[in-house]
Amino acid sequence: MALPVETFFLHPESHGTLQQQIQQMIAQGILSGRFQQGEKLPSTRKLALHLGVSRITVTIAYTELLANDYLTSKGRSGYFVSENAPSPPNFSPATENQEAVDWNRAIGRRFGASVVPGKPQDWAKFRYPFIYGQADPSLFDHANWRLCALQALGQRDFSALTADYFDQDDPQLIEFIARHTLPRRGISARPEQILITLGAQNALWLTTQVLLTQRRRAALEDPCYPALRDILSQSRCHVTPVRVDQDGLPPDAIPPDTDVIFSTPSHQCPTNATMPMDRRRALLERARELEAIIVEDDYEFEMSFLKSPSPALKSLDTDGRVVYVGSFSKSLFPGLRLGYLVGSEPFIREARALRASVLRHPPGHIQRTAAYFLSLGHYDALIRRMGTAMHERRRVMEEALAAHELQVSGRGAYGGSSFWMRAPDRINTEELARRLHPKGVLIEPGRAFFAGDHQPQNYYRLAYSSIPTTRIPEGVNLIAQEMRQIH
């Protein structure tokens, strides 16, 4: 029986080359049971005409499926689903059975309620995505990243790809961080003082687990990175939010019984404030008085395109009491999930042991690919290209915000990729976000950044990392128009 050509179609969100999409379409049809063993496929000419592709593309796809025994060829008769093709799974879900487990009783600790809602998965479909931390495909160096990934797949790097490092990391990546990345922040560290993590958030989780217990107290900025508040809540430690001012975290406001201080001195999240050098020294002195540890999250120092960033707090630390958190996820792409911890050797040793017990180590291939991308100069070229683009987008956004008299609460002296905004007191920015959604505008309401029961409702964040420069003025105009309509 011949399969009608109308049953074949390429999904609009498919990835890869046309040849790969056709292979995937047919393989999924076989694995799902839609295409049965022995059924005849359309001729290469008919399928090519139906899909609007070249005949050679379909022929190559058929040939690959033939080599993998998904298809078989019968001379002039054409191509058929092979008798040896994988059979679809044969199982019957137990739809009639009802679970006997009382999960409300069985679950010992709850995590789902505290998770901050993520960004829409389809954010790229919006015309005006003023959202933070997403990669811009027009800026990223796909070609060289792909070449580095292929290089990391080579025979020379076979052990880096396949070996179980247990609690260790790729030595090439560690060496680059120690010799090139950290010195830019004024930090000197030995390999034994560096640990690769699955992004900055994983680094913060490891740090919290190692340093805090139910009897200890953590001080964190307010407003702050919402996921950090969730991490601290899960650790069951005592938490004191400390309201930031125009210079970031005020050391004098840190409670006397604090054990760990979490701070973003170079680029406060989300207000973009940069802590002056005098306050940084005061913060170190306050931590010394309390015998506390400081966790410095330096998540966006690469985006300092207006002027050179201040030295990291870690570079001023003479006591070894600062734990430094860095990340490549913001400067490369968030899906990379690659960050690092820098700290005194006893701390890193414990964090390494905890990481090994949970996930052993981040994938070797990802580490080696990143090592090549960094060491071959592609990373620095990418940062320069991003800096140029962010500088222009920031200029255009500043002009648009000024033209519509929208209030900027924090803009960042060194650069960054967002503005911290304050709407009139009458406006709930969560409602504003809902009203802008149908118009293709995405903004980030600010309530989730604040602690306590009386969170301000009128703050929001506008990022320019994911929106083309030409769309910024119209997007800001739509925000201003919607604000005027809210009474």
Side-chain angles (χ1 to χ4, degrees), residues 366-397:
I366 293 296
Q367 293 195 52
R368 183 54 57 90
T369 300
Y372 280 138
F373 194 80
L374 296 166
S375 62
L376 293 174
H378 305 313
Y379 180 72
D380 288 338
L382 174 64
I383 294 301
R384 288 194 295 271
R385 184 162 59 253
M386 290 176 64
T388 300
M390 293 301 109
H391 195 292
E392 176 62 13
R393 292 178 189 183
R394 178 188 176 95
R395 182 190 65 79
V396 172
M397 183 171 282

Side-chain angles (χ1 to χ4, degrees), residues 130 396-408 421-424 426 460 462 471-484:
F130 292 105
V396 172
M397 183 171 282
E398 282 189 315
E399 292 178 355
L401 295 173
H404 292 283
E405 299 181 340
L406 296 182
Q407 182 179 349
V408 178
M421 306 294 297
R422 179 171 181 169
R426 73 177 190 279
Y460 62 108
L462 292 183
R471 297 181 188 175
I472 290 175
E474 179 57 27
V476 171
N477 177 52
L478 290 170
I479 295 171
Q481 286 182 0
E482 201 61 47
M483 278 192 186
R484 287 193 291 269

Side-chain angles (χ1 to χ4, degrees), residues 16 44 57 116 320 402:
T44 55
T57 299
V116 177

Side-chain angles (χ1 to χ4, degrees), residues 13 15 118-140 142 329 332-335 390 393 436-437 439-444 463-468 471:
E13 295 182 1
H15 301 289
K119 300 173 179 65
Q121 292 295 312
D122 61 347
W123 67 268
K125 295 181 179 179
F126 286 76
R127 185 165 179 80
Y128 311 103
F130 292 105
I131 59 171
Y132 181 81
Q134 295 297 332
D136 187 337
S138 68
L139 298 177
F140 185 66
H142 295 86
S329 296
L332 285 173
F333 51 91
M390 293 301 109
R393 292 178 189 183
L436 288 169
H437 194 275
K439 299 183 177 182
V441 182
L442 289 179
I443 67 171
E444 291 183 79
Y464 45 86
S465 57
S466 306
I467 181 171
R471 297 181 188 175

Side-chain angles (χ1 to χ4, degrees), residues 191-367:
E192 297 80 10
Q193 298 173 318
I194 303 171
L195 181 71
I196 302 300
T197 64
L198 292 176
Q201 190 162 326
N202 178 234
L204 292 170
W205 181 84
L206 288 169
T207 302
T208 298
Q209 294 298 312
V210 170
L211 297 179
L212 289 165
T213 66
Q214 295 182 37
R215 296 183 179 181
R216 295 184 178 180
R217 179 173 299 279
L220 77 162
E221 298 165 336
D222 183 33
C224 74
Y225 176 46
L228 173 59
R229 194 183 304 115
D230 291 344
I231 290 170
L232 293 173
S233 174
Q234 292 163 10
S235 75
R236 300 185 179 182
C237 68
H238 301 284
V239 178
T240 301
V242 178
R243 184 57 63 93
V244 302
D245 58 24
Q246 70 277 6
D247 291 329
L249 181 69
D252 293 343
I254 299 172
D257 59 342
T258 299
D259 298 288
V260 183
I261 303 164
F262 290 85
S263 183
T264 52
S266 294
H267 206 85
Q268 203 279 327
C269 176
T271 69
N272 299 319
T274 297
M275 187 179 291
M277 294 302 293
D278 288 347
R279 178 169 287 193
R280 294 184 188 218
R281 295 188 181 95
L283 178 59
L284 287 168
E285 182 58 34
R286 178 62 171 162
R288 186 178 297 114
E289 292 173 2
L290 302 176
E291 296 186 352
I293 301 298
I294 300 174
V295 180
E296 177 186 14
D297 185 356
D298 201 11
Y299 66 99
E300 205 177 40
F301 89 87
E302 303 281 21
M303 289 295 99
S304 299
F305 50 79
L306 294 180
K307 52 184 175 179
S308 298
S310 298
L313 189 68
K314 176 68 174 172
S315 70
L316 307 175
D317 174 29
T318 58
D319 295 350
R321 67 177 63 256
V322 176
V323 173
Y324 181 86
V325 176
S327 175
F328 294 115
S329 296
K330 290 288 185 294
S331 49
L332 285 173
F333 51 91
L336 181 65
R337 308 314 312 144
L338 207 61
Y340 51 93
L341 275 170
V342 183
S344 295
E345 200 168 336
F347 165 77
I348 292 295
R349 186 165 52 245
E350 292 302 317
R352 188 183 303 279
L354 175 59
R355 190 196 67 175
S357 69
V358 176
L359 55 87
R360 297 181 86 83
H361 59 81
H365 179 248
I366 293 296
Q367 293 195 52

